[in-house]
Amino acid sequence: MEKIKHIHPHPAADAGCPTGSCPHCSGHDHSFEEASPKAEAIRLTISLIFFALGLIFRSKLQASPYRIGEYVIFLIPYLTVGYGVILSALRNLINGKLFDENFLMTVATLGAIALGEMPEAAAVMLFYTIGEMFQERAASSARRSIQALTDIRPDTTYLVSDSQGSDPRKTDPLLVEPGSLVLVRPGERVPLDGIIVSGNSFFDTSALTGESVPVRVGPGSQALAGSVNGQGLLIIETTARYGDSSMARIIKLVEEAAERKAPTERFITRFARVYTPAVVGAALLIALLPPLLLVDASFAEWIRRALILLVVSCPCALVISIPLGYFGGIGGASAAGILIKGANYLETLAELDTVVFDKTGTLTEGVFEVSGVYPEKGYSREELLGLAAFGESHSNHPIAGAIRRAAETIPSEFRIDASLNTFEEIAGKGVRAEWLGKPLLAGNQTLLRENNIASPPPIEKDKGEAASSVLIAYGGNYIGTIAVSDRIREDAAGLVSALHGKGIRHTVMLTGDSETGAKAVAEKLGLDSYYAKLLPDEKLSKLEEIMASPRTHKRTAFVGDGINDAPVLSRADVGIAMGGIGSDAAIEAADVVLMDDKPSNLATAITGAKRTRGVVLQNIIFSLGIKGLVILLGIFGLASMWMAIFADVGVALLAILNSTRVLKMFKA
């Protein structure tokens, strides 16, 4: 069976297993290499048959000369399913490692055998094995969600010599260099990140984003490794090696996420280290002191009570179900297109009360377009656009690009095709150029004011969208305004109200855009507050100010596009990036990545995190509550070994089954 390294549904020794030798860790190389399911089923079936025969014929055997037969018939299931626990206990004893659940179960069951309680001894091992099977099935369900990512690794790719797909040569994706041409046939996975050179098709990106809607692609489109090609034949020019691809980084991060423990997990493992030795000490005291100090107290009765304590006190319900719950949460989130880099961030999501947003590319699409042209008297709409596009012709600013695109629609006689010899871009203000010997300015009011040009107030809104006003001046006179809007994401419309419904008390927006543009977005989305005209370092200072505010009582998240916001993403209690499949900075800086670029998935992530934590807390309260009750009853002689078995393996089984619900908790 193929081994999948580095993904654990339970704590490893170095990550907090009580002794590093629980049955899940002992004898394994920390991979998911299992025994044959058929062999396991045969072993369990044989054990159940002999266990049932023992219960049926126990009284007859005890009343017959063949009383030893009771021991034989119950020892068969005891050893058949329990030999692994016994061997682990012996191995740990030789290595000087005591006080794990193997030790507790072995001592308790051997003591039960010594007292003649054969059914109870066999039942402990038998039901523990059944619980292990359910635990493995639960872990497998969570693992499949994560393993789906490892399955997107392509085994081969086809190099071609030109954009026509000539001379295809089969090769290993690991050997392909950037700049190579690869052929991707219909139904195949894209092996490496690249740009489509020829061909048209649809991509299924669900393995990367959780989004099932196919994406149309053609020449010039980005092709991400792991996407499934639809019906077209594609030639792709690679832009990264396999190890640097989005797919490889995502797989690596999900694998590492399973190793990052939440505070609750760390507490439970620390608790188990103290709890288990304390239980062994308490059992010794219960077995020895009462018979020595009390009149008519028998050693057999108090040893029986001590054995009940040992069986009840096995911490497997906690040390298995709690990591399994977080593991399932990470797997369920991955299946929903939400990459959470560790259980610690999953728990932080559940504690949020403040969410801070970047604007451009997060709440808005980051795609600017001209939404209004307002010329002064003496100039037409076409003339204003033609002059503005000429002045912005050398600028790389997104707003300049929007103006140039809009100018492509005007008649050719209004376009200025001459070369621009005089050009200056003034950061945060606009551009200065020259046309026919006269100065041409395009920018904000500050730029015009510095050049002693009077202008009316900028256009605040246009068509209900966030608009930035670009003021145009020519020959020393203001000649009009062009409004450029950044569309609000359709998916962001109900986000703020949804977050308030999830317990988020304060929503804030930080942006470097103008006051008018920021205000329009904040009002339309219903944000609690906003701060505009912020430089990147000012965003960081403002976030720290918000985190230190008396209004912020718990945790703060920052949501950005992961490109310009890396410092702020890193500083927040949890950094959440949008559009992670195409952004290196998002994957590196953020703690959580919303892979399908939908702001609404933030609400889904918070809901899933809260539900995951709820399941974990249920397991803790239920496990400790039942165990504590049976321990008290056992000390006073009111609990049987069967009650102890339920409090151990029964509670563990119920906690494991409860943890499996987490896999479906990240569905919107």
Side-chain angles (χ1 to χ4, degrees):
M1 178 174 290
E2 180 184 0
K3 298 180 181 180
I4 305 171
K5 298 291 185 180
H6 309 303
I7 306 179
H8 300 248
H10 55 85
D14 57 352
C17 212
T19 66
S21 53
C22 67
H24 312 282
C25 297
S26 299
H28 297 282
D29 60 354
H30 291 272
S31 66
F32 289 122
E33 184 175 35
E34 307 165 18
S36 165
K38 185 177 180 180
E40 290 284 346
I42 293 173
R43 194 159 59 97
L44 184 60
T45 301
I46 292 173
S47 300
L48 285 171
I49 291 172
F50 276 93
F51 183 74
L53 290 173
L55 292 178
I56 294 170
F57 296 106
R58 185 187 185 197
S59 58
K60 292 182 180 180
L61 288 171
Q62 288 179 336
S64 73
Y66 306 103
R67 185 168 183 175
I68 190 67
E70 177 192 359
Y71 283 83
V72 174
I73 201 169
F74 279 113
L75 280 174
I76 291 175
Y78 175 81
L79 294 174
T80 301
V81 296
Y83 74 92
V85 174
I86 298 170
L87 289 177
S88 293
L90 291 174
R91 186 185 306 116
N92 294 338
L93 183 64
I94 293 171
N95 294 330
K97 297 178 180 178
L98 294 177
F99 306 132
D100 70 331
E101 61 186 28
N102 299 303
F103 176 81
L104 295 180
M105 292 175 64
T106 301
V107 171
T109 54
L110 291 177
I113 291 172
L115 294 176
E117 296 181 346
M118 295 301 301
E120 290 86 343
V124 169
M125 294 299 188
L126 186 60
F127 292 127
Y128 178 78
T129 301
I130 294 173
E132 285 288 278
M133 292 179 65
F134 275 95
Q135 182 266 338
E136 180 53 37
R137 287 196 176 188
S140 294
S141 296
R143 188 163 65 247
R144 278 193 295 271
S145 297
I146 293 177
Q147 189 175 354
L149 286 174
T150 66
D151 289 341
I152 66 179
R153 292 185 176 102
D155 296 324
T156 59
T157 190
Y158 293 90
L159 284 173
V160 294
S161 56
D162 56 40
S163 60
Q164 305 304 313
S166 304
D167 188 27
R169 303 183 307 280
K170 187 176 181 179
T171 188
D172 189 329
L174 295 173
L175 304 178
V176 177
E177 294 292 326
S180 303
L181 295 178
V182 297
L183 174 70
V184 182
R185 300 185 176 95
E188 293 181 344
R189 290 191 184 275
V190 176
L192 300 151
D193 289 352
I195 302 296
I196 296 175
V197 175
S198 67
N200 293 277
S201 187
F202 287 88
F203 275 169
D204 175 1
T205 61
S206 58
L208 295 171
T209 67
E211 177 58 60
S212 59
V213 178
V215 179
R216 182 187 293 273
V217 294
S221 299
Q222 185 180 32
L224 294 173
S227 303
V228 178
N229 183 22
Q231 299 178 350
L233 189 69
L234 300 176
I235 305 296
I236 298 173
E237 182 178 353
T238 62
T239 56
R241 292 181 175 86
Y242 171 78
D244 298 325
S245 68
S246 300
M247 175 184 64
R249 291 195 303 273
I250 291 168
I251 293 172
K252 181 174 181 289
L253 288 171
V254 173
E255 289 177 341
E256 291 175 349
E259 303 297 335
R260 293 193 179 99
K261 300 179 68 180
T264 303
E265 288 183 271
R266 291 194 293 268
F267 165 75
I268 289 300
T269 51
R270 288 197 302 268
F271 171 77
R273 289 191 184 102
V274 176
Y275 165 83
T276 309
V279 164
V280 174
L284 286 173
L285 293 176
I286 290 172
L288 299 176
L289 290 183
L292 295 175
L293 300 177
L294 300 178
V295 179
D296 297 330
S298 69
F299 274 100
E301 171 60 21
W302 285 97
I303 289 174
R304 186 185 70 83
R305 297 186 188 187
L307 294 177
I308 288 173
L309 175 62
L310 290 177
V311 172
V312 171
S313 301
C314 288
C316 52
L318 296 176
V319 299
I320 296 173
S321 66
I322 292 171
L324 180 62
Y326 285 113
F327 183 73
I330 292 171
S334 298
I338 302 167
L339 172 57
I340 300 176
K341 293 187 180 180
N344 50 334
Y345 303 122
L346 189 63
E347 193 155 286
T348 302
L349 279 173
E351 299 173 351
L352 293 179
D353 74 342
T354 300
V355 177
V356 182
F357 295 94
D358 176 47
K359 182 177 83 70
T360 304
T362 302
L363 297 174
T364 63
E365 294 181 0
V367 179
F368 291 89
E369 61 182 17
V370 171
S371 56
V373 181
Y374 308 95
E376 288 291 282
K377 289 182 180 180
Y379 286 88
S380 67
R381 177 184 183 278
E382 290 76 13
E383 288 175 319
L384 183 61
L385 269 175
L387 282 168
F390 176 71
E392 298 277 18
S393 59
H394 286 346
S395 174
N396 292 322
H397 196 283
I399 289 179
I403 292 174
R404 292 195 297 270
R405 287 193 299 273
E408 292 174 359
T409 64
I410 64 177
S412 58
E413 61 264 27
F414 294 101
R415 301 178 196 170
I416 302 175
D417 296 326
S419 60
L420 185 61
N421 297 320
T422 302
F423 175 82
E424 180 185 4
E425 186 155 12
I426 306 166
K429 297 176 184 178
V431 300
R432 179 186 289 111
E434 188 176 292
W435 168 241
L436 298 178
K438 296 180 181 180
L440 174 62
L441 303 175
N444 55 25
Q445 282 188 317
T446 302
L447 179 64
L448 269 63
R449 191 181 306 117
E450 289 179 352
N451 287 271
N452 300 315
I453 299 173
S455 65
I459 304 299
E460 290 197 4
K461 295 182 183 179
D462 187 72
K463 298 181 181 179
E465 296 186 340
S468 297
S469 297
V470 181
L471 308 181
I472 312 299
Y474 179 58
N477 298 308
Y478 166 74
I479 63 172
T481 295
I482 298 176
V484 180
S485 299
D486 183 8
R487 293 191 300 269
I488 294 175
R489 288 181 183 272
E490 184 178 342
D491 191 61
L495 176 60
V496 174
S497 59
L499 290 178
H500 285 159
K502 307 298 180 188
I504 302 301
R505 299 166 56 250
H506 194 204
T507 55
V508 189
M509 182 178 71
L510 306 181
T511 178
D513 287 354
S514 66
E515 175 75 20
T516 54
K519 182 179 179 183
V521 173
E523 289 181 351
K524 188 165 185 178
L525 294 180
L527 294 164
D528 297 317
S529 58
Y530 69 92
Y531 300 91
K533 297 182 179 179
L534 298 176
L535 297 174
D537 60 326
E538 292 174 330
K539 283 186 180 181
L540 182 59
S541 299
K542 184 59 66 175
L543 175 68
E544 291 177 337
E545 180 183 318
I546 292 168
M547 294 175 69
S549 168
R551 289 188 65 175
T552 305
H553 299 292
K554 294 183 181 178
R555 299 298 189 95
T556 300
F558 180 82
V559 188
D561 60 15
I563 298 172
N564 300 315
D565 298 314
V568 199
L569 285 167
S570 299
R571 176 63 184 87
D573 292 319
V574 58
I576 303 170
M578 299 285 295
I581 59 171
S583 170
D584 292 342
I587 291 180
E588 294 301 326
D591 307 312
V592 177
V593 183
L594 307 182
M595 304 300 291
D596 61 0
D597 215 20
K598 290 184 177 179
S600 62
N601 262 0
L602 173 58
T604 302
I606 292 173
T607 299
K610 287 180 178 289
R611 290 174 178 173
T612 300
R613 188 178 64 169
V615 167
V616 168
L617 291 177
Q618 289 168 16
N619 287 343
I620 292 173
I621 294 170
F622 177 68
S623 299
L624 293 181
I626 295 297
K627 286 177 179 290
L629 176 62
V630 176
I631 285 172
L632 285 176
L633 293 175
I635 291 174
F636 291 102
L638 301 176
S640 67
M641 185 65 77
W642 289 109
M643 292 175 66
I645 292 169
F646 170 76
D648 175 29
V649 294
V651 166
L653 179 58
L654 292 174
I656 288 166
L657 293 175
N658 192 39
S659 295
T660 61
R661 299 190 300 121
V662 172
L663 283 168
K664 300 180 180 179
M665 288 184 171
F666 283 84
K667 293 185 177 180

